[in-house]
Amino acid sequence: MSPEFYDEYLADYLTKIGMDQLPQTRPLWEIHIVKYPTSSAAGNVIFKLHHALGDGYSLIGALLSCMQRADNPSLPLTFPSRQSSSKPKRDSVNIFRRVPRILSGMINTVSDFGWSILKSSVVEDDRTPIKSGDEGVQFRPVNITTMTFSLDHLKQIKANLGVTINDVITGIIFLGTRLYMQATSHELGDAESTALVVLNTRAVAGYKSISEMLKPDSEMPWGNNFGFLHIPIPKLSVAESSDPLSFILKAHQLIKRKRNSFAVHLTSTLLEAMRKLRGPEVNFIN
């Protein structure tokens, strides 16, 4: 068949396995290998994993533990470390710059943590195509589709804006969400909508192997170690509709301010406390 036929077939297959529950008689993971070519790939490997196994950091670490170096398989897989090219500055200058950052971080922590509590319990977003507000919406059928982006294009945007790859991807998701909302109803262009951005709370300095993550008192422990931030999706102006890079930069600046706080660690601590008190099925996130 044609690649376009397999595109549609793959989307239907993703939707089907996305709706199917993992059998309780087998381990909570599945790997699906699709050997038919689509318009974007010669084949596809689909990982279906239950979140009880661990978060993204743990699972990627497990995947990398299965790989070997091509030059010397006996050596562990390593990645280049990020090094700053800027010259070290005098301590007196650094102190003067750190004080305002510490003060703003304290203010942001109180503001962001309080806002997360309110958004999780009292304050609701506007009704939009991505938030119906109906009861039991999580049990309705879903339709999964895929979209392919060039890593080279993402790197180019990253270099032009001076941001991270994560900032670029998050900005693209925010932009696509706003464009979808405007295409559905022009009256919803200024609707109040909030994204729940999940962040790893480990002191990440690179991925570790499974054996290292499972050690007692490991700095990068296995499991679910994450917090979240409520990020208001930036509103899309007419000018930004024709200049997506400015929208991505605005999303980056917003997330950067949110990250300059301890709120994500407080919410992570609160989630863990509620899990211990009320069980793993507690629904803190509204």
Side-chain angles (χ1 to χ4, degrees):
M1 298 295 182
S2 66
E4 290 74 19
F5 172 84
Y6 291 124
D7 286 343
E8 183 178 354
Y9 200 90
L10 179 63
D12 292 340
Y13 186 72
L14 285 172
T15 299
K16 177 184 179 301
I17 65 175
M19 291 295 297
D20 294 340
Q21 292 187 358
L22 290 167
Q24 297 183 3
T25 57
R26 298 206 305 262
L28 298 179
W29 55 272
E30 295 177 354
I31 300 178
H32 301 256
I33 302 176
V34 182
K35 297 183 179 180
Y36 297 94
T38 61
S39 58
S40 59
N44 291 271
V45 179
I46 305 165
F47 292 86
K48 182 178 179 181
L49 310 168
H50 198 288
H51 218 308
L53 297 175
D55 54 17
Y57 179 89
S58 299
L59 298 174
I60 291 297
L63 177 63
L64 295 177
S65 297
C66 300
M67 300 180 179
Q68 296 177 332
R69 288 177 52 158
D71 58 341
N72 190 345
S74 63
L75 296 177
L77 194 67
T78 57
F79 295 91
S81 59
R82 294 189 302 174
Q83 296 180 353
S84 176
S85 59
S86 59
K87 297 180 180 180
K89 300 179 181 180
R90 293 180 299 176
D91 293 340
S92 58
V93 177
N94 289 336
I95 291 175
F96 284 112
R97 290 188 175 183
R98 288 176 183 175
V99 171
R101 182 177 177 83
I102 293 174
L103 292 177
S104 64
M106 294 173 62
I107 296 174
N108 292 342
T109 297
V110 175
S111 174
D112 295 342
F113 183 67
W115 182 242
S116 291
I117 297 297
L118 291 175
K119 289 297 296 182
S120 300
S121 55
V122 179
V123 181
E124 292 188 2
D125 285 345
D126 296 333
R127 298 290 181 94
T128 64
I130 63 171
K131 179 178 172 56
S132 65
D134 298 336
E135 293 291 337
V137 67
Q138 66 270 26
F139 301 111
R140 295 181 180 179
V142 299
N143 186 33
I144 299 177
T145 58
T146 61
M147 183 173 293
T148 303
F149 294 94
S150 168
L151 184 58
D152 291 333
H153 291 169
L154 297 179
K155 289 181 178 179
Q156 185 178 3
I157 297 173
K158 168 184 177 294
N160 290 341
L161 298 180
V163 299
T164 66
I165 288 291
N166 282 343
D167 291 332
V168 176
I169 295 175
T170 305
I172 290 174
I173 294 174
F174 284 178
L175 178 61
T177 302
R178 279 296 181 190
L179 291 174
Y180 173 74
M181 292 167 62
Q182 288 188 355
T184 306
S185 176
H186 293 288
E187 300 177 355
L188 298 175
D190 294 332
E192 297 291 339
S193 298
T194 306
L196 198 67
V197 179
V198 180
L199 301 173
N200 180 21
T201 57
R202 300 173 181 85
V204 177
Y207 285 102
K208 302 295 183 181
S209 65
I210 293 181
S211 59
E212 291 176 311
M213 286 190 285
L214 293 179
K215 291 180 179 178
D217 301 325
S218 172
E219 294 182 357
M220 310 290 181
W222 177 276
N224 287 289
N225 293 270
F226 63 88
F228 62 85
L229 287 176
H230 286 88
I231 306 292
I233 300 178
K235 296 179 181 180
L236 182 64
S237 64
V238 177
E240 290 168 341
S241 299
S242 57
D243 185 16
L245 292 183
S246 62
F247 183 88
I248 293 176
L249 185 60
K250 183 167 67 173
H252 156 72
Q253 293 169 345
L254 178 62
I255 295 176
K256 183 179 179 181
R257 191 204 70 80
K258 289 281 187 178
R259 286 183 67 92
N260 184 26
S261 75
F262 202 69
V264 62
H265 297 280
L266 293 179
T267 53
S268 176
T269 302
L270 180 60
L271 283 174
E272 181 64 19
M274 296 187 69
R275 184 189 68 81
K276 292 180 178 179
L277 294 174
R278 301 174 58 184
E281 299 296 330
V282 60
N283 183 18
F284 172 68
I285 305 172
N286 187 10

